[in-house]
């Protein structure tokens, strides 16, 4: 396995390496035209925001903050609507309020939103009724309908995805800056489909206590109204489609730095998936050259030595906050894999922030062939991960969830007692199953209670 050249890099240097999980476009000229259009558009995020997130991730690694990274498995074009966007923000705001109150730490809010349109797949083809077509890889590549035209890889979808990412981000900014996230009025975050009767009593009580506390602070003159009326909200997606990511990469000035740097200005944070994190691969080659904070998804079979080499490749200057190691090992497999990884990274003296993705290692299929996840297994992995970090002298700095504010029936378990027979009632995901509103809220309470001990 050859290591990347640590000096010579450009937004296109990845083309000399093997790029997995990439679309296969029939019209190269159309692809080039679409990429030029994207590259010529204004940036979606600012480099100053990117560096602010990097600093906050570093503080999470020190136990001063806690990361909540959450959102859809894969965004859909049809969900770029005011209600869908505000519902996603609402559930993250509600969960973060619970975590702030229980953990007594500021929460770094990072959405899987405004660009999470692509998904890696295990198989290139999907076969139904004896007919094989390209697998659905997310709306940014092809359509979900099992039809030849829909499944064709279409570069015009790249442009559409960028446009909708812009709309989504503009909507999020308007909500956050306009007072929607005001902690003095958490009742604004109530979702339409959740009645007062079904609103968790603990959350209602917590909201009341927060309002009373902030009013008391205001009376004493010790609360900053501007601080309380808005929050910082960052965006992220998997850095999967390298043509697209290259088009979003710009050489820009860095606040307070002596020289400019390369930034991906399509999101604040990108992550490297379990299927594409090869040290000598194209994805590592691209990501090592940008200044954005990066996540690395790590499964139970990963070689700790290879992860150390990958971290050193992506962060040769050992900048705190640059790398978040997001473990996704599966319930029952954490104790066999995580201690060795933590020990190897500690011995190498590299700065990393640890997060846990308890979703991807716990996928199962029902007897009817429906893909789901069990709430109990998700919680078990979180608890096992937290326990190992405590025993190892390391810190779990955050969590990473696939969830939605919608009242879907995709994951079984939780306090609501959702069982296998309920899955077909409102199973909407185009890829992987997500926690619904009540499951997400319950998970936030359990993290808040368990991790604070």
């Amino acid at each position: 396995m050859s290591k990347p050249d640590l000096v010579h890099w450009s937004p296109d240097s990845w083309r000399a390496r093997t790029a997995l999980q990439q679309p296969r476009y029939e019209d190269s000229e159309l692809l080039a035209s679409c990429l030029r259009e994207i590259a010529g558009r204004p940036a979606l995020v600012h480099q100053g925001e990117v560096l602010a997130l990097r600093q906050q991730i570093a503080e999470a690694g020190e136990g001063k903050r806690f990361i909540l990274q959450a959102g859809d498995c894969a965004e859909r074009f049809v969900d770029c609507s005011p209600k869908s966007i505000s519902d996603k923000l609402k559930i993250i705001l509600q969960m973060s309020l619970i975590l702030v109150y229980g953990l007594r730490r500021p929460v770094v809010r990072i959405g899987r939103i405004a660009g999470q349109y692509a998904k890696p797949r295990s198989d290139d083809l999907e076969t139904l009724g004896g007919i094989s077509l390209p697998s659905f890889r997310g709306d940014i590549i092809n359509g979900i309908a099992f039809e030849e035209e829909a499944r064709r890889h279409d570069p015009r979808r790249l442009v559409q995805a960028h446009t909708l990412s812009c709309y989504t981000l503009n909507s999020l900014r308007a909500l956050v800056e306009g007072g929607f996230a005001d902690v003095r009025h958490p009742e604004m975050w109530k979702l339409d489909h959740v009645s007062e009767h079904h609103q968790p009593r603990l959350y209602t009580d917590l909201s009341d206590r927060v309002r009373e506390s902030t009013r008391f602070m205001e009376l004493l003159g010790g609360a900053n109204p501007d601080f309380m009326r808005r929050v910082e909200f960052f965006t992220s997606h998997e850095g999967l489609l390298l043509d697209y990511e290259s088009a979003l990469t710009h050489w820009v000035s860095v606040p307070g730095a002596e020289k400019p740097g390369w930034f991906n200005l399509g999101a604040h944070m990108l992550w490297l998936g379990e299927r594409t994190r090869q040290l000598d691969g194209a994805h590592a080659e691209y990501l090592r050259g940008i200044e954005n904070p990066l996540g690395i998804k790590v499964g139970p079979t990963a070689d700790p030595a290879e992860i150390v080499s990958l971290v050193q490749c992506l962060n040769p200057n050992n900048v705190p906050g640059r790398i978040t190691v997001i473990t996704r090992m599966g319930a029952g497999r954490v104790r066999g894999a995580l201690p060795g990884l933590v020990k190897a990274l500690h011995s190498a003296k590299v700065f990393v922030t640890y997060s846990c993705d308890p979703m991807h290692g716990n996928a199962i299929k029902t007897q009817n062939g429906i893909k789901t996840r069990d709430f109990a297994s998700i919680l078990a992995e979180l608890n096992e991960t937290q326990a190992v970090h405590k025993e190892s002298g390391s810190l779990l700095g955050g969590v990473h969830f696939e969830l939605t504010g919608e009242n879907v029936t995709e994951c079984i378990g939780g306090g609501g007692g959702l069982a296998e027979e309920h899955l077909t009632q409102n199973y909407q995901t185009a890829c992987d199953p997500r926690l619904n509103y009540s499951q997400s809220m319950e998970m936030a309470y359990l993290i808040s209670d368990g991790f604070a001990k």
Side-chain angles (χ1 to χ4, degrees):
M1 181 181 293
S2 61
K3 293 185 178 181
D5 184 331
L6 298 180
V7 178
H8 301 98
W9 185 92
S10 75
D12 290 315
S13 60
W14 60 267
R15 297 184 186 280
R17 296 187 174 270
T18 301
L20 303 179
Q21 298 284 336
Q22 300 305 289
R24 298 173 181 173
Y25 298 113
E26 298 173 358
D27 190 334
S28 58
E29 292 185 3
L30 178 59
L31 171 63
S33 174
C34 291
L35 294 174
R36 283 195 300 270
E37 180 175 350
I38 293 169
R41 290 182 171 187
L44 297 184
V45 303
H46 188 268
Q47 58 269 29
E49 298 170 336
V50 171
L51 295 179
L53 175 59
R54 196 170 73 186
Q55 176 59 36
Q56 291 188 23
I57 291 174
E59 293 172 5
E62 298 171 350
K64 299 175 181 177
R65 295 178 183 268
F66 193 78
I67 299 167
L68 173 61
Q69 188 171 8
D72 276 319
C73 164
E75 293 177 273
R76 302 180 303 179
F77 287 172
V78 296
D79 289 333
C80 185
S81 67
K83 184 179 184 304
S84 177
I85 294 168
S86 64
D87 281 357
K88 292 172 186 177
L89 180 59
K90 285 176 182 178
I91 185 62
I92 293 176
L93 290 174
Q94 287 196 15
M95 292 180 71
S96 67
L97 183 64
I98 295 167
L99 293 172
V100 168
Y101 194 87
L103 301 179
R104 298 297 192 266
R105 278 181 274 171
V107 169
V108 186
R109 304 166 185 86
I110 309 174
R112 293 172 55 109
I113 195 169
Q116 179 54 18
Y117 287 111
K119 288 292 290 184
R121 304 311 297 262
S122 301
D123 300 308
D124 289 336
L125 297 176
E126 179 183 359
T127 302
L128 290 175
I131 300 174
S132 295
L133 293 175
S135 295
F136 173 62
R137 291 182 172 272
D139 279 355
I140 194 172
I141 297 175
N142 56 1
I144 194 171
F146 194 75
E147 302 167 356
E148 184 175 357
E149 183 59 30
R151 291 297 177 92
R152 180 173 290 113
H153 296 179
D154 186 351
R156 292 170 295 185
R157 286 176 170 267
L158 297 169
V159 178
Q160 187 177 2
H162 187 270
T163 299
L164 297 180
S165 296
C166 180
Y167 291 164
T168 300
L169 188 55
N170 284 345
S171 180
L172 289 169
R173 290 190 189 281
L175 289 168
V176 169
E177 297 289 340
F180 179 83
D182 194 328
V183 297
R184 296 168 296 181
H185 300 286
E187 69 277 3
M188 294 176 63
W189 310 340
K190 180 178 175 295
L191 283 86
D192 293 340
H193 67 79
V194 181
S195 66
E196 291 294 336
H197 176 69
H198 290 97
Q199 186 81 16
R201 182 62 189 172
L202 286 172
Y203 178 73
T204 303
D205 292 343
L206 175 58
S207 299
D208 291 340
R209 289 199 296 271
V210 169
R211 277 196 296 268
E212 290 302 317
S213 297
T214 54
R215 286 170 187 159
F216 182 68
M217 290 283 288
E218 287 179 305
L219 288 172
L220 291 178
N224 183 335
D226 183 63
F227 172 77
M228 290 189 297
R229 73 184 297 271
R230 62 184 300 275
V231 298
E232 288 184 289
F233 189 87
F234 301 99
T235 63
S236 67
H237 64 256
E238 182 174 357
L240 185 63
L241 305 186
L242 295 176
D243 280 321
Y244 182 71
E245 303 302 344
S246 297
L248 297 172
T249 307
H250 302 275
W251 179 254
V252 292
S253 61
V254 181
E258 296 181 358
K259 63 178 182 178
W262 289 104
F263 285 78
N264 183 308
L265 297 180
H268 298 105
M269 177 185 184
L270 301 176
W271 72 82
L272 184 58
E274 171 80 350
R275 293 182 177 93
T276 55
R277 57 169 174 75
Q278 296 79 15
L279 180 62
D280 59 352
H283 290 82
E285 170 62 20
Y286 167 74
L287 291 172
R288 74 179 179 87
I290 59 175
E291 297 290 336
N292 303 61
L294 304 174
I296 303 174
K297 292 287 190 81
V298 180
T301 61
D303 180 350
E306 289 185 5
I307 300 302
V308 169
S309 296
L310 181 59
V311 169
Q312 292 170 333
C313 166
L314 297 177
N315 190 22
N317 296 322
N318 209 17
V319 177
R322 162 74 168 165
I323 302 296
T324 301
V325 173
I326 308 170
T327 58
R328 39 152 293 177
M329 297 182 169
R333 306 185 74 178
V334 176
R335 288 194 173 277
L338 184 55
L341 175 64
V342 172
K343 182 179 180 181
L345 291 168
H346 178 75
S347 298
K349 295 181 171 56
V350 292
F351 288 114
V352 299
T353 297
Y354 290 101
S355 181
C356 176
D357 168 5
M359 306 295 292
H360 284 88
N362 293 300
I364 56 175
K365 279 194 175 182
T366 68
Q367 291 182 344
N368 295 327
I370 300 175
K371 188 176 183 179
T372 187
R373 289 158 171 163
D374 190 338
F375 186 95
S377 297
I378 295 169
L379 180 61
E381 179 169 354
L382 277 174
N383 289 335
E384 290 166 16
T385 302
Q386 171 70 345
V388 167
H389 279 296
K390 281 189 174 183
E391 294 163 6
S392 303
S394 51
L395 291 170
L396 179 59
V399 289
H400 186 121
F401 289 112
E402 290 184 345
L403 54 78
T404 176
E406 300 172 25
N407 192 25
V408 299
T409 55
E410 297 171 359
C411 292
I412 59 174
L418 201 151
E420 287 188 18
E421 58 265 27
H422 301 137
L423 291 175
T424 56
Q425 291 178 1
N426 195 23
Y427 195 97
Q428 294 186 10
T429 183
C431 291
D432 293 332
R434 305 159 293 174
L435 296 174
N436 62 23
Y437 171 79
S438 63
Q439 291 167 332
S440 300
M441 293 290 283
E442 182 179 357
M443 190 64 70
Y445 280 112
L446 292 169
I447 293 171
S448 180
D449 181 54
F451 287 20
K453 294 176 180 178

